Structures are given as C-alpha cells and as structure tokens.
C-alpha cells in the first residue's frame, strides 16, 4: 500500500520552492512573450519606463485603500502610467530633448518619487519596503504544505496559495491568449502600421493594447519579483531569440524557451548552489535570473549561427582566404601568360603579401586549382580557367575605370584589384584589350 | 472630361471640377496642416477611372501627405474625400496602398511571403489564422512579380528592387480597384522599374486606377496618362499631354528645376510619337 504521508523532502520542496519557482516562470513567460514586440518596435525602453513609472501609482493606491488587491493596484498603476505618458510628451515639447531622454527623465523621477513615498509609508509601519521594489520577495512566497497527499488539493490548501501567485498565473494565461489570438495583428502593426490601419487593423489601438499588457506584466510582477527581473525579461529573452533566428514565429517560441529556462536556471543557481558551495545563505533569486538572462544574450551575440560574432568572423576569414586564393591564382596566371608555367614559391612569397601563404597554397590545392611541386607552383586546368576569368574581370574593370569613369591609367590597377573579386555583373563595354593593351580573356561558358 | 484644370488662383467655387460617383477618387477642398503650417491647401482633385496618374512636385510639396490624408492615415483639417462617391470606411476593401519603402524596418524577422500575406489581412479578418488558400494567393502574386524563388527569404536578404516588388505583390494580392503608391520607383534597378510599369499597365487594362507619387519627370509622359502637379496647392491636373507644360512645371517647381527643359522635350517626343 502506498503511504498517504508526503515525504519530508517533497513537502519541503512544495512549501519553499514550488511557488517562488512558479511565480518566476510566470513572470518570465509573460514578460518574455510581450517583450518580443517591444524589441522589434525598438521600444524596449518603453518597457523599462513603464515598469519603473508605475511605482508611485502602486504606492498611492496602497496607501489610499490600504488593500493589496490586484484591481486596486492596477488602477493606481494605470493612473501612474497615464501621467507618465503625458509628462513624457510635455518634456519632449518643452524641454526640446530627444524622445529617449524625455522618457529617461520622466521614468527615473517617477521611480524616485515612488521610492520616497515607500519610505514614508514604511515609516508609518506599513508593510511595504523599498528593497522589494527592485528585487521582489520571491523567497517569501512559501506556504505550509499539508502532511498528507489527499489534502494537497483540498479547498483549504488552495486558499492558502499566496494571491501574488494566482495573479501571476492569471496574467500568464491572459498574455498567452493575447499573443495567440492577435499574433497576426501584432505582427502587421509592428512591421507596417500604415498598412495595418488601411487593412482595418488600427495600429494605434494595437500599440495601446501592447502598452496595457506591458503595464499589466509590470504591475502583476512587481511585488513578487521586483522591477529588475521584469525589465530583464521584457528585453533579454526576445533579444536572445532575435539573434538566433530570422522568423518571427520561431523567435517567439525561442523567447519563451529562453525566458523559462533563465528563470529555472537562475532559481537553481540562487537557491541550491550557494548551499552546495558551503555559503551561509542563498542568493537573491530574481537578481540571479536576470543575470542568467543577460548571460544568454551575451552567449547568443557571440555564438549565434547567423548573427553571432564567431560566425561573422568565420565568414570574414573564409572570405579573406578565398580572396587570397584568387590573388594567388591571378599572379600565377599572369606568369603563365608570359610563358612561365611553374612559378617558384619563394618568388611569390617575396612579391605578394599573403598572410599564411602555406595555408592558402594548401587550400588552393584542395580546390584542385594548383599543383604544388614542392618549391614550384603550377596552375591546373581549372586553375587556368579561374585565372582567366579573374583577369578578364580585372582588365574589363580597368578599361571601364579609364574610359567611362575617367580615372588616370596609373591609378586604376589598385581599384581593379579590389573590384575583380566582386561577383557582380561585368562592367560594360565588352573590351578585347585593357588600357595597356593586354588581352582580355574571353568569357567562359558558365559550366563550372 | 479631358480638360485640364488649372486651379490657382481660384476665386469662386464654380471653378471647381465636377465630382462624380464614377470617379474612384474625389477630393474636395482638402487642407492638411502640421501644427499650424499648412502642407496642403484647398486641394480639389478627381481621378478618372482606368488611368495611371502621376503626382509630381518638389520635395515638401505634400505629395505623400496627400495620399496619407486620402487614406485617413493623417487627419485633414478640412475637406472631404470620397471613393466612388462613398466615404473611405465604406470603400476600404477596394483601395490598396504601397507606402514608401523606407517606412518599414526591413530587418524585421518576416519572409517575403509573410509580407505579401499582410495584404490579405482584411479578407482574413481579426483573430483568424492565415490559411493555405491565402498563402497560395500570396504566392501567385509573388510569382507575378518574378519573386517566387525568394518567397521564404527574410526580407533583409532581398535587394532594394526586390523589396519594392514584394510591396507591389502585397498590393496586388489585395485585388483593389484603386491603388495609391508612394514613390515605387525610388532607388530601384532597371529590371524592377520595367516590372513595375508592366504591372501598372496591366492594372489599367483591367479598368483600375493607380495614383503614383513620381520623381522622374522625364518618364512621366511615357508611363502615365494623367498628372497632378502639386506644390501645396494643385498647380494643374489632367491628361499629361495637356498639363505637362513648361509653364505649369515652372509654377510647380518655382523655376528651380534644371530638368525642366529635358522634361518638356520628353513631352514633345511623346506627343510626336503619338501623332
């Protein structure tokens, strides 16, 4: 018979970790999803501004009503957000500053005002404090799990779930519905507001909805996780996902994965790792999650297969290598025009400034362009054909630069040396000889 | 119907053109101002059905503003706009719009096919997903613009001309009867220009009207049959052969334009070709 008794370890996990983790994942998921459109509209700053600027409204609502019901909090935050938008407009007009600066001025002042109000309130022994505004109180979301399995889903137990948790679960459901139902509308309004409006999808309305959802995320998440995590989740997962794909639907799915995993990893790192390392107390979970999400952006910026720095520098290196090979082939071809079929490697080393010449030679050999006779290099048949096309482009460009662009003959070689590597169409007109009278090799049929 | 209307200065309302319910676009006394500075002043215009209309004028003449105000994208301070005698909201489905290419972020993570599908969003309706039939229609439109092999490319990977053709394909898929195009020829290659003009002519042969903001005065006589010369006010509007004169162009461009002589030569050539 299976015992009805909940084992201590599981009971402890349910009591201390289940709700903080659930809350964090809800915040990450909802902010991460909404953040996609802020990032795409280049309005990430807006998320930052809103999540800071709602603070005085929240505090005022709490002080006036002395209740923490989500409805009251949301009303206060909404009023705060409206005042912020109006103030930003005002500062923009009167202060003659750029929009970003106007936003920065207003939201930081609003946030500071909120913190002052909080201090005043906590002096009056009201249960609110300034620390939790930044980092939240994830760790305090524990509840006392029952001893028995069959009590776990009883009414009393469910009632004991902290309201922040139920609010966050509600928010996540709302965001999921919003994103699923309005995917196409959000996409067109973010991409081309003018077209959206002429298609009967009022772009202004969509923008307002998006801002309302951003504010909802900020308000609902505030108490549980603090503003740092909200801002991090509004920007980092979407930015990471954007670096990894060029498809919006993939980006949104990836952002959800990144958001949830940074919440999960951050939580594990904050609560269990310090203990394992023998540190006296656990670290702040919200701070750790934000750090993890930031680290993900850094990793994606470095290692993303399409937009990452590593991929970019690899592409650049391979381009540089193929240009070096072309230069080598060109030199060998010029020699072969003068009847020299085998060129000494040392001559090439001295006359051309190719970095890593040996590697370039090996690469050209692998591509079956040259034969390496030890101290001498010879073009293969393919190499000769490639060289002919390269010299054709070079000499046609020289002709073009002298005849059409009116550049002096002694200046054109270096320019043509760069243009010959381009894979654009050939310059017109089709010449037989270059300005110095050297023959232009005929065009090859495009069989290679 | 084909008389030119030279509308400034105008003293009485009697001088205004007849508005007709046959006309795809009738603009009456439209004035648009940004803050307190007028951009368009008392514009009256009727676009005839089945024609290609060029809007020409110097920078800042209000050409794009005219289009946006017709579409209700920016509010007009005064005046009325009617489409086939009906207000915009009753005619929206029959009106297509191609904005300037620079107005959108081409790094946006969507494919060419996604962008063309956006032309169908009105037909698809709010909340509803894009179905296979919609994608097929979009694909057909891309094919018409010679872009079928680029359907799944992200739009940033297309050349400027290809991007413009994607915009055209998106307009075509709407199957509208009146199109507004804001500088579709700006910065495109010769192949794209030819493709666009072919599509414009095809639309005209189907009885549709296309109103195009155009910069290249020399090609106006060959590409378009009607022209609207705009510089805050309408200087002249009507068939190209009648309104595209030295005098009108001088008034429109304030004599600043060195291309004027070439443009009137082009008119003369086109007229000789017709005779």
């Amino acid at each position: 018979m299976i015992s009805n008794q909940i084992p201590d370890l599981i009971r402890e996990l349910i009591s201390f970790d289940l709700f903080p983790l659930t809350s964090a994942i809800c915040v990450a998921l909802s902010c991460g999803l909404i953040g996609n459109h802020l990032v795409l509209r280049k309005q990430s700053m807006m998320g930052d501004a809103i999540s800071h600027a709602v603070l005085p409204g929240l505090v005022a609502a709490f002080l006036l009503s002395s209740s923490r019901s989500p409805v009251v909090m949301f009303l206060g935050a909404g009023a705060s957000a409206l005042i912020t938008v109006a103030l930003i407009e005002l500062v923009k007009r009167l202060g003659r500053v750029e929009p970003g600066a106007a936003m920065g001025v207003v939201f930081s002042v609003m946030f500071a005002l909120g913190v002052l109000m909080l201090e005043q309130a906590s002096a009056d022994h009201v249960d609110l404090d300034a620390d939790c505004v930044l980092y939240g109180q994830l760790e305090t979301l524990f509840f006392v799990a029952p001893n028995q399995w069959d009590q776990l889903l009883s009414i009393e137990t469910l009632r004991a779930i902290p309201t922040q948790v139920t609010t966050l679960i509600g928010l996540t459901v709302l965001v999921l519905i919003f994103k699923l139902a309005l995917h196409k509308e959000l996409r067109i309004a973010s991409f081309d507001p003018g077209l959206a409006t002429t298609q009967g999808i009022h772009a202004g309305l969509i923008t307002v909805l998006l801002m309302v959802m951003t504010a909802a995320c900020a308000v609902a998440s505030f108490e549980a996780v603090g503003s740092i995590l909200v801002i991090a989740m509004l920007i980092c997962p979407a930015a990471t996902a954007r670096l990894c794909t060029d498809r919006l639907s993939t980006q949104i799915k990836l952002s959800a994965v990144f958001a949830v995993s940074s919440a999960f990893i951050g939580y594990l790192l904050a609560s269990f790792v310090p203990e394992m390392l023998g540190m006296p107390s656990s670290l702040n979970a919200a701070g750790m999650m934000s750090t993890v999400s930031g680290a993900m952006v850094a990793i994606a910026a470095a290692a993303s297969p399409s937009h990452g720095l590593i991929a970019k520098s690899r592409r650049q290196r391979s381009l540089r290598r193929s240009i070096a090979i072309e230069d080598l082939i060109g030199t060998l071809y010029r020699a072969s025009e003068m009847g020299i079929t085998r060129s000494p490697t040392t001559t090439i080393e001295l006359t051309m400034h190719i970095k890593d010449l040996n590697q370039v030679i090996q690469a050209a050999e692998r591509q079956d362009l040259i034969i390496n006779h030890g101290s001498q290099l010879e073009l293969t048949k393919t190499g000769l054909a490639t060289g002919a096309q390269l010299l054709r482009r070079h000499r046609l460009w020289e002709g073009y630069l002298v005849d059409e662009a009116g550049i002096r003959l002694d200046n054109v070689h270096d320019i043509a040396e760069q243009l010959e590597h381009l894979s654009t169409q050939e310059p017109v007109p089709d010449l037989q000889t270059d300005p110095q009278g050297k023959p232009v090799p005929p065009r090859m049929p495009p069989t290679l | 119907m084909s008389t030119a209307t030279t509308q400034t200065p105008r003293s009485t309302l009697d001088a205004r053109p007849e508005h007709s319910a046959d006309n795809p676009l009738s603009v009456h006394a439209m004035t648009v101002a940004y803050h307190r500075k007028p951009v368009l002043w008392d514009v009256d215009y009727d676009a005839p059905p089945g024609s290609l209309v060029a809007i020409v004028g110097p920078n800042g003449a209000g050409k794009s503003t005219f289009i946006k105000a017709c579409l209700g994208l920016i509010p007009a301070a005064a005046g009325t706009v009617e489409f086939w005698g009906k207000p915009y909201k009753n005619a929206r489905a029959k009106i297509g719009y191609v904005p300037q290419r620079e107005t959108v972020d081409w790094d946006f993570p969507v494919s060419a096919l996604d962008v063309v599908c956006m032309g169908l969003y009105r037909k698809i309706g709010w909340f509803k997903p894009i179905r296979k039939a919609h994608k097929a229609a979009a694909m057909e439109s891309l094919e018409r613009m010679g872009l079928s092999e680029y359907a799944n490319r992200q739009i940033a990977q297309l050349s400027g001309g290809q991007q413009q053709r994607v915009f055209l394909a998106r307009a075509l898929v709407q199957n509208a009867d009146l199109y507004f195009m804001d500088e579709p020829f700006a910065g495109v290659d010769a192949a794209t220009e030819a493709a666009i003009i072919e599509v414009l002519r095809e639309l005209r042969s189907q009885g549709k009207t296309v109103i195009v903001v155009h910069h290249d005065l020399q090609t106006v006589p060959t590409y378009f049959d009607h022209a609207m010369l705009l510089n805050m006010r309408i200087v002249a509007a009507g068939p190209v052969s009648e309104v595209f004169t030295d005098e009108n162009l001088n008034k429109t461009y304030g004599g600043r334009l060195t291309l004027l002589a070439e443009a009137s030569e082009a008119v003369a050539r086109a007229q000789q070709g017709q005779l």
Side-chain angles (χ1 to χ4, degrees):
Chain A
M1 205 184 97
I2 302 161
S3 159
N4 195 19
Q5 194 76 25
I6 299 181
D8 280 349
L9 180 67
I10 292 180
R11 190 161 169 254
E12 204 176 296
L13 280 178
I14 292 175
S15 300
F16 293 105
D17 296 314
L18 179 64
F19 288 129
L21 196 54
T22 314
S23 311
I25 286 174
C26 284
V27 169
L29 193 58
S30 40
C31 292
L33 286 174
I34 291 292
N36 280 298
H37 287 279
L38 295 179
V39 167
L40 287 178
R41 288 164 173 245
K42 309 196 193 310
Q43 286 183 328
S44 308
M45 186 79 167
M46 200 57 157
D48 198 348
I50 288 177
S51 55
H52 278 100
V54 293
L55 183 64
L58 286 178
V59 182
F62 176 71
L63 290 179
L64 290 176
S65 72
S66 35
S67 103
R68 276 202 206 190
S69 97
V71 180
V72 174
M73 296 294 237
F74 202 77
L75 285 177
S80 212
L82 282 181
I83 293 170
T84 307
V85 171
L87 281 177
I88 289 175
E89 237 358 82
L90 203 69
V91 172
K92 230 190 298 181
R93 296 239 175 111
L94 299 181
R96 295 194 176 193
V97 289
E98 46 113 4
M103 227 182 252
V105 166
V106 174
F107 85 68
S108 49
V109 171
M110 290 290 276
F111 189 69
L113 178 71
V115 171
L116 289 178
M117 287 166 71
L118 261 185
E119 284 197 336
Q120 192 56 45
S122 50
D124 296 340
H125 306 289
V126 180
D127 169 34
L128 265 179
D129 77 280
D131 274 358
C132 100
V133 165
L134 282 180
Y135 293 116
Q137 310 175 303
L138 260 186
E139 291 81 356
T140 64
L141 288 175
F142 65 90
F143 95 132
V144 185
N147 293 319
Q148 320 265 294
W149 283 113
D150 54 5
Q151 286 168 6
L152 200 59
L153 285 173
S154 71
I155 306 277
E156 290 97 83
T157 322
L158 292 179
R159 271 216 192 112
I161 296 175
T163 47
Q164 291 105 311
V165 180
T166 46
T167 311
L168 282 173
I169 292 173
L171 171 79
T172 310
V173 173
L174 189 69
V175 168
L176 283 173
I177 293 171
F178 176 73
K179 287 289 299 176
L180 286 175
L182 289 173
H183 175 68
K184 151 174 131 286
E185 286 76 9
L186 281 164
R187 177 167 67 182
I188 191 173
S190 298
F191 176 62
D192 191 345
L195 179 85
T197 306
T198 62
Q199 288 280 308
I201 294 163
H202 200 289
L205 175 69
I206 299 282
T207 306
V208 170
L209 281 178
L210 187 64
M211 291 308 145
V212 168
M213 291 305 289
T214 310
C217 287
V219 175
S221 315
F222 222 91
E223 214 178 335
V225 301
S227 63
I228 298 290
L229 185 61
V230 173
I231 296 163
M233 287 302 163
L234 278 173
I235 301 173
C236 295
T240 314
R242 181 66 192 91
L243 283 166
C244 296
T245 176
D246 279 333
R247 279 272 180 285
L248 182 58
S249 48
T250 318
Q251 180 192 322
I252 290 171
K253 283 171 205 149
L254 281 179
S255 72
V257 172
F258 292 142
V260 171
S261 52
S262 52
F264 200 77
I265 296 169
Y267 192 81
L268 290 185
L269 286 180
S271 18
F272 300 116
V273 172
E275 212 172 313
M276 277 160 30
L277 295 177
M279 289 208 257
S281 64
S282 62
L283 292 167
N284 177 281
M288 186 56 91
M289 291 172 196
S290 308
T291 311
V292 170
S293 73
M296 282 186 172
V297 179
I299 293 171
S304 148
S306 48
H307 301 276
L309 285 175
I310 294 172
K312 264 186 203 155
S313 81
R314 185 175 300 153
R315 272 199 297 272
Q316 230 159 42
R317 212 165 44 224
S318 96
L319 181 66
R320 216 177 299 139
R321 171 63 47 85
S322 68
I323 288 177
I325 292 175
E326 284 188 0
D327 285 341
L328 175 65
I329 302 294
T331 308
L332 292 176
Y333 186 84
R334 282 194 182 89
S336 80
E337 276 186 330
M338 294 184 286
I340 307 164
T341 47
R342 292 184 180 198
S343 303
T345 319
T346 44
T347 317
I348 287 172
E349 205 171 344
L350 290 171
T351 52
M352 297 180 66
H353 301 284
I354 296 180
K355 235 172 104 190
D356 309 322
L357 182 64
N358 283 330
Q359 284 178 40
V360 173
I361 290 172
Q362 278 167 23
E365 236 186 320
R366 274 198 302 277
Q367 291 174 27
D368 194 28
L369 294 168
I370 58 170
I371 304 161
N372 189 355
H373 298 288
S375 61
Q376 287 179 321
L377 300 176
E378 185 185 350
L379 285 172
T380 63
K381 230 175 133 192
T382 337
L384 279 169
T386 313
Q389 290 317 295
L390 190 76
L391 266 284
R392 175 181 164 78
R393 284 201 296 275
H394 181 93
R395 287 173 185 164
L396 282 178
W397 275 119
E398 283 192 343
Y400 175 85
L401 290 168
V402 169
D403 298 342
E404 309 287 324
I407 296 173
R408 278 167 49 129
L409 182 57
D410 33 348
N411 293 334
V412 295
H413 176 80
D414 290 341
I415 308 174
E417 195 64 26
Q418 294 180 3
L419 291 172
E420 68 184 21
H421 300 297
L422 299 180
S423 52
T424 53
Q425 63 193 57
E426 289 178 347
V428 279
D430 196 353
L431 304 168
Q432 298 301 312
T433 54
D434 77 353
Q436 287 151 320
K438 288 185 196 147
V440 173
R443 183 182 294 135
M444 281 282 290
T447 44
L448 288 172
Chain B
M1 198 185 105
S2 64
T3 47
T5 51
T6 307
Q7 294 174 346
T8 39
R10 195 173 43 210
S11 50
T12 61
L13 283 172
D14 304 333
R16 288 167 192 269
E18 284 284 314
H19 294 301
S20 152
D22 293 338
N23 287 339
L25 171 70
S26 304
V27 177
H28 182 73
M30 177 198 276
T31 294
V32 179
Y34 287 128
H35 302 295
R36 300 179 68 175
K37 203 173 151 220
V39 184
L40 288 174
W41 188 259
D42 195 22
V43 170
D44 259 53
Y45 182 69
D46 270 60
S51 57
L52 301 182
V53 183
I55 303 180
V56 294
N59 288 333
K63 303 182 296 288
S64 297
T65 306
F66 174 74
I67 289 186
K68 286 182 189 154
C70 285
L71 293 166
L73 292 174
I74 49 175
T80 54
V81 182
E82 285 184 338
F83 301 89
W84 299 279
K86 287 179 281 192
Y88 176 62
K89 64 177 198 296
N90 297 338
R92 271 204 286 234
K94 288 161 76 182
I95 304 167
Y97 171 44
V98 180
Q100 280 182 32
R101 192 153 49 88
E102 310 87 74
T103 54
V104 304
D105 170 17
W106 288 95
D107 274 334
F108 205 83
V110 285
S111 68
L113 187 67
D114 291 333
V115 174
V116 178
C117 281
M118 289 180 188
L120 291 166
Y121 280 12
R122 166 185 302 285
K123 209 175 272 172
I124 299 169
W126 279 79
F127 309 117
K128 296 201 190 102
I130 299 161
R131 304 214 174 277
K132 269 213 181 100
H134 301 132
K135 284 199 175 153
M139 200 62 210
E140 205 176 292
S141 189
L142 272 174
E143 222 170 286
R144 220 168 128 192
M145 295 306 311
L147 288 172
S148 41
E149 57 188 304
Y150 301 102
N152 290 314
R153 288 268 186 99
Q154 197 232 334
I155 50 175
Q157 295 164 11
L158 303 175
S159 73
Q162 289 165 338
Q163 291 175 344
Q164 191 64 59
R165 277 186 276 162
V166 168
F167 260 20
L168 253 313
R170 185 178 73 177
L172 290 181
V173 81
Q174 282 181 63
N175 204 11
D177 291 327
L178 168 65
Y179 285 103
F180 289 96
M181 301 187 181
D182 204 344
E183 298 195 24
F185 295 105
V188 302
D189 52 294
T192 301
E193 183 154 338
I196 295 174
I197 200 66
E198 193 181 318
V199 166
L200 293 188
R201 289 183 175 146
E202 203 181 317
L203 290 170
R204 177 178 56 188
S205 72
Q206 295 163 2
K208 302 178 173 189
T209 294
V210 188
I211 298 174
V212 179
V213 173
H214 195 58
H215 260 303
D216 183 11
L217 290 178
Q218 293 193 58
T219 51
V220 169
T222 40
Y223 288 177
F224 298 94
D225 23 55
H226 281 249
M228 168 181 171
L229 276 59
L230 187 72
N231 193 349
M232 193 164 87
R233 300 156 192 258
I234 288 195
V235 175
V240 173
S241 54
E242 290 173 34
V243 298
F244 223 60
T245 61
D246 264 357
E247 195 197 341
N248 283 337
L249 285 169
N250 256 315
K251 265 196 223 162
T252 314
Y253 288 88
R256 275 172 293 149
L257 197 75
T258 48
L259 282 172
L260 278 178
E262 293 172 38
S264 53
E265 263 171 44
V267 178
R269 270 202 307 275
Q271 279 170 344
Q272 269 167 14
Q274 278 168 10
L275 292 174

